[in-house]
Structure formats: C-alpha cells, structure tokens
Amino acid sequence: MESDSGKRAKESGVRDRRYSIRYPFAADGEMLELQSGNRVSGATSDLSLGGCFVCVRRTLEVGARVRGTLTHEGQQVKMFAVVRVVRLRVGMGLEFLDIDPGSNPTLLTWIEYLCKAR
C-alpha cells in the first residue's frame, strides 16, 4: 500500500534523490554562484555527506553551480555544489559535487558527531 506522501511525490514529479541521511544542523553558509557571480548567505537547517539545505532569503536557480563555505563553531567546510531544490522564500537544497580536501575531515567529524547525538 502506498503512502499519501508517496502519491504526492509521484503526482508532482518529485522523487527523493538523497543518498545520505540528513541530520538537523545549523551552520552559517556563504555561496558564490559561479556563472553570475551572485552571492547569497544564510544558515543550514540540515546536513549530510552528500549535501545540505540552506535557508536563504534570495535563492539561486535549480542547476546553479556554487562555491560555498559552511562555518560552524569556528570550523569551515569549503565545497563545490549544485542547487538541486528551491523552496521560494525558504531556501535551497545543495548537492555536494566536491569537498575541499582540507575540509573533508571537518565534514566527517560533524557527521560523526551528529550520528552519535541521534
């Protein structure tokens, strides 16, 4: 038997593309859209090894590629990502395409902490 949410997802043409568990997580986010040079900033609401959702007032377009930095308690994760989902006046979902090699240990530490805190 199919759930109501499954029916709504099929009807809207949306499917869940997440490959990693997302955890509630607040970090400051700064994004630079590479094509236009537009900058946006906000705060994450969740995080996974594969992406995050950033609450922003002004969203970028789906498909936009960004260089971004997430900052939490003085630690930073620098990444290259693509905007996969936009929720107007709420924010945008990012899929990480590449994590800066120097940032990878920090991201892994954040995720490990979030897994244990569950």
Side-chain angles (χ1 to χ4, degrees), residues 81-101:
V82 62
V83 176
R84 291 290 183 205
V85 174
V86 170
R87 304 274 184 254
L88 293 178
R89 294 183 292 279
V90 177
M92 56 193 179
L94 301 178
E95 178 185 359
F96 300 150
L97 300 176
D98 189 38
I99 302 294
D100 180 77

Side-chain angles (χ1 to χ4, degrees), residues 61-93:
E61 291 185 23
V62 170
R65 294 185 181 258
V66 299
R67 287 257 175 234
T69 303
L70 302 178
T71 305
H72 177 76
E73 295 182 353
Q75 297 179 313
Q76 290 189 331
V77 169
K78 296 183 182 215
M79 89 316 247
F80 173 59
V82 62
V83 176
R84 291 290 183 205
V85 174
V86 170
R87 304 274 184 254
L88 293 178
R89 294 183 292 279
V90 177
M92 56 193 179

Side-chain angles (χ1 to χ4, degrees), residues 11-68:
E11 288 169 3
S12 67
V14 174
R15 69 179 183 90
D16 191 353
R17 294 187 187 121
R18 295 180 189 161
Y19 300 103
S20 303
I21 297 171
R22 290 201 177 188
Y23 301 95
F25 187 75
D28 293 327
E30 298 285 332
M31 308 306 145
L32 170 67
E33 194 211 345
L34 298 177
Q35 186 173 14
S36 69
N38 288 333
R39 291 184 181 275
V40 295
S41 60
T44 63
S45 62
D46 61 42
L47 176 73
S48 77
L49 286 174
C52 64
F53 190 87
V54 183
C55 300
V56 292
R57 289 182 183 189
R58 186 176 48 90
T59 58
L60 301 172
E61 291 185 23
V62 170
R65 294 185 181 258
V66 299
R67 287 257 175 234

Side-chain angles (χ1 to χ4, degrees), residues 4 13 26 76 95 109 113:
D4 287 341
Q76 290 189 331
E95 178 185 359
T109 299
Y113 173 78

